[in-house]
Amino acid sequence: MLEIAGRTFESRLILGTGGFRNLGVMAEAARGSGAELATVAMRRVDPTARGSIVEVLAEAGVEILPNTAGCFTAREAVITAKLAREALGTDWVKLEVIGDDRTLLPDPAELLVAAETLAAEGFTVLPYTSDDPVLARRLEDAGCAAVMPLGSPIGSGMGINNLYNLRLIIEAARVPVILDAGIGTASDAVLAMEAGCDGILLASAISRAADPVAMARAMRMAVQAGVEARRAGRIPRRHYAVASSPDEGLAELERAEREDHLPDAGAAPTTR
Amino acid sequence: MISIVLNGEPSELPAGATVEAAVGELGANDRGVAVAVDGEVVPRGEWASTEVRDGQQVEVLRAVQGGR
């Protein structure tokens, strides 16, 4: 179970809704993934647009988490969060303040200002952050309900670029850590959960897969596998093999042959 | 008449027009819509009583697919 700001969710997977061909595929993938929360973006009303994502998600039993995608300053992000609260009736916000067009990496300075402002105004703030343990701590101190470090740039599918930093964030955090961005396939999701993340947020890996609904199911299982593996406790890594069958009771077969193959015997070949 | 910028496009409205009228121009009076005038949120309950002034920028937003 994932607990954020006193709310509990059965699913540890949060679905981004970007990149799906249409709302039908999105809804089916949402069901396949088991997600109970899905992000939406705030954009200008398009009078020609068909279908309402709000209604489609409601029918799929998925709650809406508005984001501030596209904002480059704290001020833009704060206004967008307020517009989302007004439009959607939620004071939860997936906070994003981007600092670079090419990598879409967060702007740490603007992000922290926006997080402080929104938390002080009573928002439940879930900030998309770089994988910087110090920034993660500052966001937590600012009153954020979770921290959401990236694994690698949004949509890159590179997985987790800095597992060491992610582990430092997890070790120190007193709020949920949700890996946000970079997941490319199911094994990345397993790794995130094995590392101790409380949840993951992803979309592209599902929405841009050849078969989004199948990948959604794979991600659901991956999250579950990672959580259970972490709980089970992995064996330590070793440099050499550890025999898994007992030496005791081993039969002696083809004795002469075996001695021929001992290292000493082979060092100086002799004719017989 | 007044000239405003409505979702990035120039738009003419009668003098004294309200936010509600501006939103109506876009046919967007349904639920799930929020409005900012010159970067300040105007709550739905104040649309009918808030006049739009000449030169103001009105943004009318709704939720769309997005995120990761």
Side-chain angles (χ1 to χ4, degrees):
Chain A
M1 275 215 307
L2 173 62
E3 189 176 336
I4 306 172
R7 296 256 343 254
T8 55
F9 302 92
E10 289 294 323
S11 171
R12 292 176 177 273
L13 190 156
I14 302 173
L15 187 65
T17 60
F20 285 100
R21 277 200 304 281
N22 56 53
L23 291 175
V25 175
M26 182 203 72
E28 220 186 313
R31 286 192 192 92
S33 74
E36 293 159 76
L37 262 182
T39 66
V40 295
M42 298 301 295
R43 291 293 179 269
R44 285 172 172 167
V45 164
D46 174 5
T48 67
R50 277 163 201 274
S52 152
I53 190 168
V54 177
E55 284 168 23
V56 172
L57 286 174
E59 278 167 30
V62 180
E63 265 186 66
I64 282 185
L65 174 62
N67 68 24
T68 62
C71 293
F72 278 73
T73 66
R75 185 174 151 71
E76 283 173 346
V78 168
I79 296 167
T80 302
K82 289 178 179 174
L83 285 165
R85 179 171 63 183
E86 178 69 18
L88 302 167
T90 174
D91 54 13
W92 284 42
V93 61
K94 162 74 196 308
L95 177 63
E96 296 184 28
V97 189
I98 299 303
D100 178 63
D101 256 334
R102 203 158 55 95
T103 58
L104 300 179
L105 290 172
D107 183 323
E110 293 291 317
L111 177 66
L112 189 57
V113 171
E116 284 167 346
T117 307
L118 289 168
E121 295 200 24
F123 280 87
T124 296
V125 183
L126 313 177
Y128 165 60
T129 173
S130 41
D131 55 10
D132 176 350
V134 178
L135 179 58
R137 192 184 69 216
R138 294 289 300 271
L139 289 164
E140 186 178 324
D141 291 346
C144 291
V147 288
M148 305 186 66
L150 55 82
S152 52
I154 295 167
S156 72
M158 276 194 280
I160 300 170
N161 273 352
N162 194 337
L163 192 56
Y164 172 73
N165 271 24
L166 181 63
R167 288 197 167 120
L168 289 181
I169 292 171
I170 292 164
E171 246 174 59
R174 289 154 296 161
V175 293
V177 177
I178 299 166
L179 189 83
D180 182 7
I183 287 186
T185 187
S187 52
D188 297 331
V190 176
L191 183 59
M193 302 314 291
E194 284 175 343
C197 286
D198 297 283
I200 58 172
L201 191 158
L202 78 172
S204 300
I206 292 176
S207 65
R208 300 184 205 279
D211 184 342
V213 179
M215 186 61 90
R217 288 194 297 267
M219 289 298 181
R220 173 189 211 153
M221 292 187 276
V223 168
Q224 194 184 340
V227 168
E228 290 195 23
R230 181 177 170 82
R231 198 175 294 144
R234 63 152 298 155
I235 60 166
R237 285 178 195 276
R238 292 179 201 273
H239 203 62
Y240 295 108
V242 177
S244 56
S245 306
D247 284 340
E248 204 181 306
L250 187 65
E252 290 197 5
L253 307 167
E254 300 191 273
R255 185 178 179 81
E257 189 89 355
R258 279 173 62 108
E259 281 184 353
D260 279 351
H261 286 88
L262 290 176
D264 284 352
T270 52
T271 51
R272 271 185 250 192
Chain B
M1 296 291 276
I2 56 163
S3 301
I4 62 166
V5 180
L6 182 59
N7 276 1
E9 300 290 334
S11 183
E12 302 275 318
L13 291 177
T18 62
V19 169
E20 190 167 49
V23 174
E25 288 288 296
L26 296 168
N29 286 78
D30 48 345
R31 288 187 316 123
V33 172
V35 177
V37 176
D38 286 349
E40 295 294 333
V41 180
V42 181
R44 175 174 285 263
E46 297 170 19
W47 288 2
S49 58
T50 305
E51 266 188 37
V52 189
R53 293 192 305 276
D54 195 54
Q56 282 189 317
Q57 283 196 12
V58 180
E59 295 284 344
V60 185
L61 306 187
R62 73 182 321 151
V64 299
Q65 278 180 245
R68 295 307 163 262

